[in-house]
Amino acid sequence: MKYAVDKKEQFVLFTLMEEKLDSTLSPQLKSELLTVHAEGYKNLILDMASVKYADSSGLSALLVGNRAFGEEGGIFILSSLQEHVLKLMKISMLDKVFKVVEDNEAAAEAVFIHEIEQGAEKDEEE
């Protein structure tokens, strides 16, 4: 699986450089996402600009990432989805589950907004 990882202060930008996200790649993607999470990062942006096709096992890998990063108040964002993948998300109603944004700039903004909201919630609890 071809990908790039760019670790920032507030989030990790994980760029998937594959055209197909299917059963051949999904186990490795799950593993890589869980590894990044285990390293202590709580926010991840998954840049899917190169992905032209995804199947149910690919969506399953994304759900694993979404659950892992959401568990501890983090955020998992899908960025730059191709039309086919976005249609699949909508048909399966996963566009209601995932935070989907247009590009990486919008994703970075969403992380910062999420961090501010999380900080406000912690202040209210105290």
Side-chain angles (χ1 to χ4, degrees):
M1 181 174 77
K2 292 180 279 193
Y3 64 93
V5 176
D6 185 8
K7 296 175 180 175
K8 309 275 189 190
E9 188 175 329
Q10 296 288 334
F11 61 88
V12 172
L13 175 61
F14 191 106
T15 305
L16 192 54
M17 297 179 206
E18 297 282 353
E19 287 193 4
K20 290 183 175 184
L21 178 54
D22 56 17
S23 59
T24 58
L25 290 182
S26 61
Q28 190 176 357
L29 178 59
K30 283 180 194 177
S31 175
E32 294 299 331
L33 293 174
L34 292 174
T35 298
V36 170
H37 182 259
E39 289 174 358
Y41 293 95
K42 62 181 209 168
N43 302 313
L44 186 128
I45 299 168
L46 181 57
D47 181 346
M48 295 184 53
S50 298
V51 181
K52 295 179 180 173
Y53 171 83
D55 67 7
S56 59
S57 62
L59 295 180
S60 172
L62 300 179
L63 286 166
V64 167
N66 190 55
R67 184 174 54 245
F69 284 90
E71 280 175 351
E72 297 165 22
I75 190 169
F76 182 81
I77 302 173
L78 301 178
S79 169
S80 310
L81 269 64
Q82 296 283 337
E83 190 176 335
H84 173 81
V85 178
L86 190 55
K87 279 183 185 177
L88 180 62
M89 291 274 183
K90 288 180 179 178
I91 288 168
S92 57
M93 297 185 68
L94 289 173
D95 59 325
K96 309 283 188 249
V97 174
F98 292 111
K99 175 77 174 170
V100 178
V101 297
E102 202 169 299
D103 56 32
N104 291 340
E105 189 174 315
E109 285 178 28
V111 169
F112 292 120
I113 290 168
H114 180 77
E115 287 289 308
I116 291 168
E117 289 171 350
Q118 290 294 314
E121 285 177 19
K122 283 182 184 170
D123 290 345
E124 287 174 12
E125 290 172 7
E126 292 174 358

